[in-house]
Amino acid sequence: VQLQASGGGSVQAGGSLRLSCAASGRTFTNYPMAWFRRAPGKEREFVAAASWSGGATYYADSVNDRFIISRDNKKKMGYLQMNGLKPEDTAIYYCASRSTNPITYAGWSKGDEYDYWGQGTQVTVSS
């Protein structure tokens, strides 16, 4: 599976962006996908995850009620709609997918359990 993230940019606080993740390979549509981010000087952190169908979604507390993860398996695309952006959302955003299903609830947010990663797209939010 190869992933290509796009849609990042610079916005003012309160604005919105929609990130896209284009996937190739068969396993993308069969397993969960997720978005992670890495802010300057910080470790990578979980943002959101979606089940293979998109019917189940999971969010970090910091983005819950502001971000929406979705996917279109027919197009092999994943999305992250980001609303109400804050300066602390500034980071490089990565899409990720995996070839197994999480065994535990915590597994949805563990970066080490994701096998495939996109190159990242920069999101900068100014105050």
Side-chain angles (χ1 to χ4, degrees):
V1 175
Q2 292 187 324
L3 304 173
Q4 179 81 27
S6 63
S10 298
V11 296
Q12 291 190 328
S16 297
L17 281 174
R18 188 194 196 203
L19 305 183
S20 298
C21 179
S24 63
R26 290 179 295 175
T27 59
F28 175 81
T29 59
N30 298 333
Y31 295 100
M33 68 159 295
W35 290 91
F36 290 79
R37 67 187 181 187
R38 186 189 299 273
K42 295 187 178 180
E43 293 188 353
R44 182 183 64 196
E45 67 173 353
F46 169 76
V47 176
S51 63
W52 73 271
S53 67
T57 55
Y58 306 86
Y59 297 93
D61 289 343
S62 59
V63 306
N64 200 21
D65 294 332
R66 296 189 298 125
F67 290 10
I68 301 172
I69 186 172
S70 63
R71 63 191 300 170
D72 184 336
N73 285 338
K74 289 184 179 179
K75 296 181 179 179
K76 292 189 178 180
M77 293 291 296
Y79 304 99
L80 186 67
Q81 177 66 43
M82 305 186 295
N83 302 318
L85 283 162
K86 304 176 181 179
E88 51 263 43
D89 294 318
T90 295
I92 300 174
Y93 284 71
Y94 300 89
C95 60
S97 67
R98 54 193 295 163
S99 56
T100 58
N101 287 308
I103 297 175
T104 65
Y105 178 80
W108 287 92
S109 61
K110 289 184 178 179
D112 291 348
E113 294 195 14
Y114 288 82
D115 305 295
Y116 311 104
W117 293 81
Q119 85 290 358
T121 185
Q122 176 72 47
V123 172
T124 303
V125 185
S126 58
S127 57

